[in-house]
Amino acid sequence: MIANISDLPAAATFTPETPDQVALALCQARMAGLQVVIVASGHGLPPIGDLSGSMLLDMSRFDGVDIDPDTAIARVGGGVDWRRLLSAAAPYGLTGPFGSSATVGVTGFMMGGGIGPFSRCLGLAANSIRAAEIVTPDGIVRRVDADSDPDLFWALRGGGGGFGVVTTLEIQLTRMPEMSGGLMIWPLDRAGEVVPVWAEWARSVPEDVTSSVRMVNLPDGTSLLMVLVTAPRKAVSLRNDVEPLDALGPIQNTIGDTDPVSFMDAYSDPDEDGPPPAIEHVLLDLLTPEAVEQAVEFAQPGSGSDAMMVELRHLGGALARPPRGCGAQGHVDGEFSLFVVGMPGAASGPAHAVDVLSDYGRGRTYFNFVTKRGDRRSAFTSEAHERLAQLYEAVDPDGLMNHPQPLYDRLRPAPMESGGSAAIDTAENQPVSSSDNRPPAGGHHRRPSVGAGS
């Protein structure tokens, strides 16, 4: 049973510790006729496909976090996850644009856009990238920013990756605000009553309030409706805003004062063992009463959708406004996100649910929620997609990087030895897994998302 990319049979796995070792690994992969697949936090099993002709490049040793409290800039290694960054920033009174999972890698999350508890007031996390150190497929270590390479810098801010190996990101942090948040929980059989109120409430809620609805069928047979709410202010103020929901009598209401680290520890998406579930996603422009009714119906046990979870996430606010000089994905083109999770191997039910509810949108997607291999057209404007494709061709003309969401599906066959493994140079300066032969970092994680998490 495969639950993690590190479990897949690849031709080789290297764990570099310096940018120069990354460059050497890319050179060795090219010489051996292998493609390169990047493993960062290990979160998720991306739709890569057959890895017998690929090298897994494990970035777990790039785990450094360096914070300048005067400029509020963090230099973050390519293998750092959100729990590590937030914990390092907290003593300085700083925080970052984190998402819904503590174990998601910062780099993949931000390069795929990045939405989380503060997104309706701060916008996409990708807009916080100030520079990157990247090893491009030609084996050159580059520092990329708005002045040194404006085209690549544009692509790295929300373009979804695939342009090389990011070894370090420089991120603009923010002063830690007052924060409140928590869950309101009802039995799922009250969803027909509660979700319409939430959908109407979301139309006029203040822009600094971010919320989502999750209708969940747990393995033990329990079915729950959960509304997660956050705001960068005191709980006494947020409780006033959620009064229309609280008046519906939740069986539990945990909204209180908190901070980013505590909130993430309490409400982070769970990491689960086992094969990856079936996931479908689309952006919606509106939630009419009919759309809400259909979403609630698909979430019910025995509905035929085989849904373990149906999530509606409120977007809009700053997420809808691309800032001046933004990158490839400066905003999210939808008011709500629909995310349906089904049992492993049971994709038809979630796919049908998303197909039906797609009538309330335009078929657009948010990149970090796209879980099927294919091109990226649904996640970008046509102009941005074309620009990304041209840059992708210029940066990686030979298709060295095997990205789970290529700009177009271009897989070159790898020459194989008769024994079934690609030939690897065994020169003395060849990169090795690690000095102590430690296996690749990873763990068993819940979803097969690109960049993972939000």
Side-chain angles (χ1 to χ4, degrees), residues 194-204 213 245 287-288 292 312 336:
V194 176
V195 180
V197 174
W198 172 82
E200 184 62 31
W201 170 80
R203 296 178 191 274
S204 58
V213 164
L245 299 175
L287 274 180
T288 66
V292 171
L312 292 166
F336 295 90

Side-chain angles (χ1 to χ4, degrees), residues 246-329:
D246 196 41
L248 297 174
I251 58 176
Q252 188 173 3
N253 183 341
T254 68
I255 293 174
D257 293 321
T258 186
D259 61 79
V261 175
S262 299
F263 180 84
M264 179 165 278
D265 284 343
Y267 301 109
S268 178
D269 289 348
D271 295 335
E272 297 179 0
D273 293 337
I279 295 178
E280 296 288 340
H281 155 69
V282 74
L283 294 173
L284 308 179
D285 294 320
L286 70 166
L287 274 180
T288 66
E290 294 77 15
V292 171
E293 181 180 357
Q294 289 169 337
V296 169
E297 180 180 344
F298 284 126
Q300 300 305 312
S303 68
S305 69
D306 298 314
M308 295 190 295
M309 182 182 77
V310 174
E311 178 191 76
L312 292 166
R313 189 178 300 208
H314 188 203
L315 306 175
L319 283 170
R321 298 189 297 270
R324 184 175 180 180
C326 66
Q329 188 183 179

Side-chain angles (χ1 to χ4, degrees), residues 17-24 62 133 135 141 167:
E17 300 185 14
T18 67
D20 287 341
Q21 288 181 0
V22 172
L24 183 58
F62 287 81
E133 180 183 77
V135 185
V141 182
T167 54

Side-chain angles (χ1 to χ4, degrees), residues 18 50 61 74 78 100 123 129 153 159 178 200 223 227 244 249 259-260 280 289 296 300 336 382 401 407 444:
T18 67
D50 180 15
R61 293 298 178 90
S100 59
I129 297 175
F153 183 59
E178 295 180 329
E200 184 62 31
S223 295
V227 176
D259 61 79
E280 296 288 340
V296 169
Q300 300 305 312
F336 295 90
S382 57
M401 307 305 299
L407 282 150
H444 296 291

Side-chain angles (χ1 to χ4, degrees), residues 150-194:
D151 286 337
L152 189 53
F153 183 59
W154 172 86
L156 293 177
R157 289 177 297 146
F163 299 96
V165 183
V166 174
T167 54
T168 303
L169 276 186
E170 293 183 17
I171 301 168
Q172 184 69 59
L173 302 178
T174 59
R175 297 297 166 185
M176 191 180 301
E178 295 180 329
M179 180 181 180
S180 58
L183 279 172
M184 306 177 78
I185 303 174
W186 293 262
L188 184 59
D189 59 16
R190 293 194 61 193
E193 174 190 0
V194 176

Side-chain angles (χ1 to χ4, degrees), residues 201-438:
W201 170 80
R203 296 178 191 274
S204 58
V205 74
E207 192 168 285
D208 67 346
V209 176
T210 300
S211 67
S212 63
V213 164
R214 288 184 174 182
M215 294 172 277
V216 181
N217 295 302
L218 300 174
D220 65 2
T222 304
S223 295
L224 297 173
L225 166 65
M226 299 182 288
V227 176
L228 183 67
V229 185
T230 58
R233 44 190 162 93
K234 289 286 190 180
V236 64
S237 176
L238 179 57
R239 289 193 192 104
N240 288 334
D241 284 325
V242 303
E243 175 57 32
L245 299 175
D246 196 41
L248 297 174
I251 58 176
Q252 188 173 3
N253 183 341
T254 68
I255 293 174
D257 293 321
T258 186
D259 61 79
V261 175
S262 299
F263 180 84
M264 179 165 278
D265 284 343
Y267 301 109
S268 178
D269 289 348
D271 295 335
E272 297 179 0
D273 293 337
I279 295 178
E280 296 288 340
H281 155 69
V282 74
L283 294 173
L284 308 179
D285 294 320
L286 70 166
L287 274 180
T288 66
E290 294 77 15
V292 171
E293 181 180 357
Q294 289 169 337
V296 169
E297 180 180 344
F298 284 126
Q300 300 305 312
S303 68
S305 69
D306 298 314
M308 295 190 295
M309 182 182 77
V310 174
E311 178 191 76
L312 292 166
R313 189 178 300 208
H314 188 203
L315 306 175
L319 283 170
R321 298 189 297 270
R324 184 175 180 180
C326 66
Q329 188 183 179
H331 73 298
V332 180
D333 190 15
E335 187 70 15
F336 295 90
S337 164
L338 172 68
F339 195 75
V340 183
V341 180
M343 294 293 292
S348 60
H352 175 65
V354 167
D355 285 344
V356 170
L357 285 159
S358 292
D359 289 344
Y360 303 96
R362 289 161 288 140
R364 307 292 292 173
T365 60
Y366 161 61
F367 181 84
N368 276 350
F369 284 171
V370 177
T371 62
K372 294 180 179 178
R373 188 174 180 90
D375 65 38
R376 313 178 185 194
R377 286 181 175 85
S378 64
F380 297 98
T381 65
S382 57
E383 295 81 4
H385 180 272
E386 180 61 26
R387 184 177 175 186
L388 286 167
Q390 291 175 357
L391 184 61
Y392 190 47
E393 181 65 27
V395 170
D396 190 18
D398 300 324
L400 180 67
M401 307 305 299
N402 183 2
H403 192 275
Q405 296 294 346
L407 282 150
Y408 40 87
D409 212 351
R410 181 188 58 188
L411 296 175
R412 61 183 174 87
M416 305 297 290
E417 294 291 324
S418 59
S421 298
I424 302 290
D425 186 358
T426 56
E428 185 177 349
N429 64 348
Q430 176 187 326
V432 295
S433 295
S434 67
S435 58
D436 57 3
N437 201 32
R438 187 175 68 178

